[in-house]
Amino acid sequence: MRRKGLWIVLAVVVILVAVYFGASWYFSEILLNMPTQTIAEARAEGDTPASVGLPEPEEVLIDAGAVTLAGWYFDNPADAGCGLLFLHGFTGTRYHALNWAPLFWERGCDILAYDHRGHGDSSHAFHTYGFYEKQDALVALDWFGRRAGLEQSQIGVFGVSYGAATALQMAPQAPELAFVGADSAYSDMEEIVGYQARRMFPVLAPLLLPGTLAVAEWRADFDVQAVAPEQSVAEAQMPILLIHSLTDEYTPSTHSEDIYAHSNQSRTVLHLTDWGSPHARDILTDYAAYRQLVNDFLEQFAPGFGWPPAS
């Protein structure tokens, strides 16, 4: 009888472990393999390079080793000796760049925008929130410099949300960059995943989060603890611009505040905007004010970056 009781307990434990692992696997799939927008869907939204004053780009493929990155290269006829590498947000595509590209095109800069791994037309791959994406960005940066004939010091990187966090994580490995701009970045993967999980599954999140992250690490072969833009920024050598809406419901503005607190504040600017914008939409809420923030930053910290913008 005692042996039968032990077998029952063992069976219950095995079932509970199996259920926990299955649930952790399910939620890790959401983290690693969230469906993303296709290029056809992005195109159908109506924005085109021509609609924002850009010429038709060259479609390019960049070999990043394990993945191939699909992107756009805009060769600026003004040839002002500057370049801008743009990194889009989570589940988006290079089309995201169309909102920001005019800020730098008017300065005479060449522009490279590509789809992150696992996004758009780039190779399918797990999303690792900057762990592998930062290496992709460094490969793209090197490709861009060679193609445009620019030194690293003539190139700036601007990222939004997922792309902003990636830009900050790549920064220590690209110390000569003219600047890094980060709009609506998260400060730490575990923190932002925990925040989102608690919003969606307030009861289950505390229980399942450790298992979910552990399974995600195992499946995608990466280290969650290493995905920490707030730590990377401490090693960055270039000027950094942080922009975050105080009404961001997806990634609270405290994330950019934490990043700023870890940065070299003599060359980092933080703008917490009160324009009522949702996540990463400040540029759509008030383009003129946003443009002014960027131009003021460049005037102070990268005065030789392209032509001065028209007033």
Side-chain angles (χ1 to χ4, degrees):
M1 196 69 183
R2 182 178 297 176
R3 180 175 295 180
K4 182 178 179 181
L6 289 174
W7 277 110
I8 292 174
V9 170
L10 180 60
V12 170
V13 170
V14 169
I15 291 170
L16 289 175
V17 169
V19 169
Y20 186 81
F21 180 79
S24 296
W25 183 282
Y26 172 78
F27 287 111
S28 76
E29 181 68 10
I30 295 175
L31 277 183
L32 300 175
N33 212 17
M34 175 77 76
T36 65
Q37 187 180 48
T38 67
I39 291 297
E41 289 169 340
R43 189 182 299 117
E45 290 183 350
D47 286 337
T48 65
S51 70
V52 297
L54 272 66
E56 199 62 26
E58 178 185 349
E59 302 269 355
V60 300
L61 295 175
I62 301 171
D63 181 0
V67 296
T68 299
L69 307 173
W72 283 337
Y73 173 62
F74 295 91
D75 186 3
N76 200 315
D79 213 14
C82 59
L84 190 283
L85 173 63
F86 182 84
L87 306 179
H88 67 76
F90 189 48
T91 74
T93 70
R94 72 193 94 144
Y95 270 79
H96 206 179
L98 296 180
N99 294 321
W100 281 264
L103 297 172
F104 303 96
W105 187 255
E106 68 177 356
R107 288 177 169 269
C109 301
D110 300 326
I111 296 171
L112 174 65
Y114 66 87
D115 303 328
H116 290 299
R117 60 171 57 208
H119 290 73
D121 282 345
S122 291
S123 302
H124 174 74
F126 287 135
H127 310 141
T128 62
Y129 299 83
F131 186 85
Y132 289 117
E133 289 81 357
K134 67 178 179 292
Q135 299 301 328
D136 297 340
L138 289 166
V139 171
L141 175 66
D142 184 59
W143 182 96
F144 187 26
R146 293 196 310 271
R147 181 58 177 273
L150 298 171
E151 298 295 327
Q152 193 176 102
S153 59
Q154 297 173 288
I155 299 174
V157 177
F158 203 103
V160 178
S161 189
Y162 189 90
T166 298
L168 292 167
Q169 289 174 79
M170 74 176 285
Q173 298 179 58
E176 301 301 320
L177 283 171
F179 67 91
V180 167
D183 184 329
S184 309
Y186 48 83
S187 60
D188 175 274
M189 180 180 172
E190 189 168 359
E191 185 175 342
I192 188 59
V193 170
Y195 171 77
Q196 290 296 337
R198 288 188 296 273
R199 288 182 67 207
M200 294 185 289
F201 312 103
V203 176
L204 292 177
L207 177 65
L208 290 176
L209 188 60
T212 297
L213 293 175
V215 171
E217 288 183 316
W218 171 62
R219 292 181 64 192
D221 190 25
F222 79 116
D223 180 4
V224 167
Q225 296 295 323
V227 182
E230 67 180 6
Q231 299 301 326
S232 299
V233 75
E235 304 173 39
Q237 302 299 310
M238 71 291 294
I240 293 175
L241 172 63
L242 303 171
I243 301 175
H244 213 126
S245 171
L246 288 168
T247 50
D248 188 334
E249 78 297 345
Y250 188 82
T251 302
S253 58
T254 52
H255 282 258
S256 283
E257 293 183 70
D258 289 344
I259 292 168
Y260 180 71
H262 285 81
S263 71
N264 182 332
Q265 295 173 20
S266 69
R267 56 172 177 264
T268 304
V269 174
L270 170 63
H271 288 292
L272 299 176
T273 61
D274 58 356
W275 306 342
S277 308
H279 179 64
R281 293 296 185 271
D282 270 342
I283 197 166
L284 300 179
T285 301
D286 194 334
Y287 180 84
Y290 194 100
R291 177 178 178 268
Q292 192 63 52
L293 294 183
V294 173
N295 287 340
D296 287 348
F297 168 79
L298 293 177
E299 182 179 354
Q300 181 178 358
F301 291 99
F305 190 76
W307 290 347
S311 57

